[in-house]
Amino acid sequence: MKKILHFKINGMHCVSCATRVERAMASIKGIKKAQVNFVNEKASIEYESSSPDPTQPILKAIREQGYEAKPLHSKESNYGNHDMDHMSHKGSNYTDLIIAVLFTLPLVAHMIGFHLAPYLQLGCATIVQFWAGRRFYMAAWHSLKSFTGNMDLLVTLGTSAAYGYSLVAVFLNSPDLYFEASAIVITLVLLGRAIEEHAKQSTNAAVRSLMKLTPPMALVNRDGVYVEVLSHDIKKGDHIMVRAWQRVPVDGVISQGTSEVDESMVTGESAPVLKGEGDKVVGGTTNTSGVLYLEATTVGNHSTLARMIRMVEGAQSSHPPIQKFVDQVSEIFVPLVLLISVLTFGAWLIVGSSFEYALLAAVSVLVIACPCALGLATPTAIVVSMGEAARKGILIKNLESLEALRKVDQVVFDKTGTLTKGEFSLTFSKSLSDISQEHLLLLAASLQKGSEHPLARPFLKAIKGQKFLEIEDFTSLPGKGVQGKIKGNFYYLGSEKLMTDQGILISSSHKREQTVVYLADKHHVLGVFHLADTPRRGAYETLEVLKKMGLKTVMLTGDNKETAQAIGNKVGIDEVMAHLQPKDKINYVKAQEHHHHLVAMVGDGVNDGPALAAATVGFAMGTGTDVAMDAAPITLMRPSLELIPQTFILSKRTFRIIQENLFWAFIFNIVGIGFAAFGHLSPEIAGGAMAGSSIMVVLNSLRLKRK
């Protein structure tokens, strides 16, 4: 069995920082997997439960890389503390920036004509270089210790070269001083990081909103009196009172009261939903009218909201296949830039330029080539994308699925509960034996006692209030029906396929556009039932959108062909496959992929689990309160089919933004290094351009927030 630990990490400035931390943690004995989310500064570590707790070795490994870390606990109250930690770290960054600006301004004034004595220049530059810029030296040192390169190393080498040359010039009474170059570069890089940090926080706004949904306090029954307790202290089985316009603290079942509940922040559903006794409510939703009393069913780390946050952050931390290419480039980027800088310095000396000119050209190469924009290109777009998906009620577990969705050419739907509401009504029942109509229904309902299958509900509803008959030797036959023994007699309840398999003759005169269910003993059909289901709202419009996107649509069902075709005609599906068992659905998906079609499967996440797993991408329809959240790479938090084309669009937009980010990052570095090497960029301009490129990438990623 595997366990997972979470950590908050402060001080990372780029993706190479996160990569270095990942490698350090992954090298610890017992660690199976380590992921670091650079944007929200969190790490997730998976280790075997048989291994000793690796918390202390992990903290030590992170500190050795030059960063501060602390373990994250599951209690929701800690989210606020994380915000405080972040604000403290952010405050320190702003202090350094203010100091850098104050002591760089005199150097800028000297540069434009106001005289400043050499030793005053040295004093101002020294404060900027070694106080405001100390973080670059610390990060560069840790980078060198781990035999890796990052942008801090490039900044440190470039500014130290300009500062060191000017320091020697002061003591030699040389007029050629370049203190302003090193100070301006450090100030601009700090400014760029401050703006980048602010923009980066905007990318993660959706997840922070989810974290704040759980109210800090709740009214819980304690010895017959409702008292305020901390929400994270609520236990399963506690009875809770939720007043009008209060948030529901935990997942639960309503035991008393009726009200409309606003689920928009959890499921994306804009209209409040009417809830009453026996209905489930999700923690984080808002009670908009009457008082509700509920029993807590899922609390703490297992709640729907906690699982949503984990899934979103897990997806944000994972690396899509396109990121592997970026990682490979980053591995050689810094050494290559260092080589180009040395060659630039040597080349200018060879052609007869002054030492100062050659040095400034080499420094400009180091500064302009900082790979910040390249490192931010993918993760910022991913974080915004995952947050937007969660806001709409779409949970994406892994980025491989989101990336694969761009290439899918066929969407396969289950029928019952997916394309249809799954809310069957009993429209016809007839006894074909001497058994009374009432007893026929009682037999059918008793065989399905306790079943959650949509076909069972109309039978259970029809005999509500009556006592079920005792069943022995019960067996569920997936895709066919059920069988069992009642009072010594063996009964089958199910489809035409089940009857045929048992060699029982049936009449073909029944209404085929509806679902037909038969009740039989070992030899004869005892009764027949007709069940009607209706297409889900928006099914036709959704399929039209998918077809306009060039996708083939297919319906797979275990129902008879006439019933399936009737529903298919109503929703406008391209192809209908009927009389299928669960294994047939898997075989269909695999056959399509064998013929080079990439398939997205949409199902209820329970009965269709194997087919969802077999598809290139699986969509689980569900409320987010049951196993549907774990059944497929993509879970729709509310059963709204229009979320499917929205997910396709989000996939295409996300990876188009990533490609744009990578294109401009590469172009910027290639062109920038060229200009710097040929002496057309000063270090000051290079520093500003480098900071600007990072900001541009973040702002481009934020375009994903636009509707």
Side-chain angles (χ1 to χ4, degrees), residues 422-442:
E423 299 171 359
F424 286 89
S425 57
L426 188 61
T427 60
F428 174 82
S429 65
K430 181 179 181 181
S431 175
L432 302 177
S433 63
D434 56 359
I435 298 175
S436 69
Q437 196 87 347
E438 293 75 16
H439 192 64
L440 191 75
L441 278 170
L442 184 60

Side-chain angles (χ1 to χ4, degrees), residues 530-608:
H530 291 176
L531 302 172
D533 192 9
T534 55
R536 192 177 289 281
R537 181 173 61 86
Y540 180 84
E541 292 78 7
T542 295
L543 290 171
E544 283 299 302
V545 172
L546 291 174
K547 286 190 281 188
K548 286 178 181 177
M549 293 168 67
L551 299 165
K552 180 183 178 182
T553 57
V554 181
M555 181 172 74
L556 306 181
T557 179
D559 220 332
N560 66 71
K561 188 169 181 61
E562 291 84 353
T563 303
Q565 194 61 58
I567 293 293
N569 291 339
K570 288 180 181 178
V571 300
I573 203 148
D574 291 327
E575 185 178 349
V576 174
M577 304 288 290
H579 290 295
L580 300 182
Q581 296 182 41
K583 65 178 182 181
D584 298 324
K585 295 181 181 181
I586 300 172
N587 292 336
Y588 177 86
V589 169
K590 288 182 176 178
Q592 296 305 307
E593 295 186 343
H594 179 71
H595 289 93
H596 309 293
H597 292 292
L598 296 185
V599 177
M601 172 74 188
V602 187
D604 62 10
V606 182
N607 297 330
D608 300 304

Side-chain angles (χ1 to χ4, degrees), residues 416-417 421-424 451-458 531 604 607:
T416 306
K421 293 180 180 178
E423 299 171 359
F424 286 89
S451 173
E452 288 293 325
H453 196 282
L455 288 174
R457 293 170 196 157
L531 302 172
D604 62 10
N607 297 330

Side-chain angles (χ1 to χ4, degrees), residues 186-484:
I186 287 175
T187 302
L188 286 173
V189 173
L190 290 174
L191 176 62
R193 284 188 177 176
I195 298 172
E196 179 187 297
E197 181 69 24
H198 181 74
K200 196 171 71 175
Q201 290 308 304
S202 299
T203 67
N204 217 21
V207 174
R208 291 202 309 278
S209 297
L210 288 175
M211 289 178 172
K212 294 175 182 177
L213 286 181
T214 299
M217 307 295 291
L219 291 170
V220 181
N221 191 319
R222 294 285 187 257
D223 300 321
V225 180
Y226 283 93
V227 296
E228 276 199 332
V229 302
L230 293 171
S231 292
H232 64 72
D233 286 336
I234 296 174
K235 296 178 176 59
K236 184 177 180 179
D238 280 348
H239 291 272
I240 304 160
M241 179 171 68
V242 184
R243 296 188 177 122
W245 295 108
Q246 285 186 338
R247 290 197 182 277
V248 178
V250 294
D251 296 352
V253 175
I254 297 174
S255 56
Q256 183 183 339
T258 302
S259 177
E260 288 189 328
V261 177
D262 180 0
E263 299 180 328
S264 58
M265 281 303 293
V266 176
T267 67
E269 178 61 67
S270 57
V273 181
L274 184 64
K275 300 277 186 176
E277 187 176 335
D279 288 334
K280 296 177 181 179
V281 288
V282 178
T285 57
T286 304
N287 175 22
T288 64
S289 50
V291 177
L292 290 177
Y293 296 86
L294 56 103
E295 180 181 341
T297 56
T298 313
V299 298
N301 237 9
H302 302 289
S303 70
T304 299
L305 197 57
R307 293 167 72 194
M308 281 181 65
I309 292 169
R310 284 201 306 274
M311 287 173 68
V312 174
E313 291 191 335
Q316 289 177 344
S317 300
S318 63
H319 301 302
I322 196 172
Q323 180 66 31
K324 294 177 183 177
F325 168 69
V326 179
D327 292 340
Q328 290 170 351
V329 172
S330 299
E331 288 287 328
I332 62 170
F333 190 80
V334 172
L336 182 62
V337 169
L338 291 173
L339 177 62
I340 293 173
S341 179
V342 171
L343 292 175
T344 298
F345 180 75
W348 281 112
L349 289 179
I350 291 171
V351 298
S353 296
S354 67
F355 179 86
E356 297 90 335
Y357 191 88
L359 177 65
L360 289 180
V363 169
S364 297
V365 169
L366 291 175
V367 174
I368 196 69
C370 287
C372 268
L374 190 61
L376 288 168
T378 301
T380 51
I382 292 301
V383 168
V384 177
S385 177
M386 296 299 99
E388 283 302 287
R391 187 180 62 79
K392 293 177 180 179
I394 305 165
L395 289 187
I396 300 168
K397 286 185 186 178
N398 60 65
L399 298 177
E400 289 82 0
S401 296
L402 188 66
E403 186 165 356
L405 204 59
R406 297 180 301 149
K407 301 172 184 176
V408 163
D409 58 3
Q410 195 171 123
V411 187
V412 174
F413 293 86
D414 172 50
K415 179 178 78 70
T416 306
T418 302
L419 283 175
T420 65
K421 293 180 180 178
E423 299 171 359
F424 286 89
S425 57
L426 188 61
T427 60
F428 174 82
S429 65
K430 181 179 181 181
S431 175
L432 302 177
S433 63
D434 56 359
I435 298 175
S436 69
Q437 196 87 347
E438 293 75 16
H439 192 64
L440 191 75
L441 278 170
L442 184 60
L443 285 170
S446 298
L447 282 167
Q448 301 185 89
K449 177 178 62 177
S451 173
E452 288 293 325
H453 196 282
L455 288 174
R457 293 170 196 157
F459 291 99
L460 301 176
K461 187 177 179 181
I463 65 143
K464 195 170 185 180
Q466 295 186 53
K467 188 176 180 181
F468 290 107
L469 301 172
E470 290 296 323
I471 305 175
E472 298 175 359
D473 301 330
F474 174 84
T475 305
S476 175
L477 306 168
K480 298 178 184 179
V482 296
Q483 64 184 34

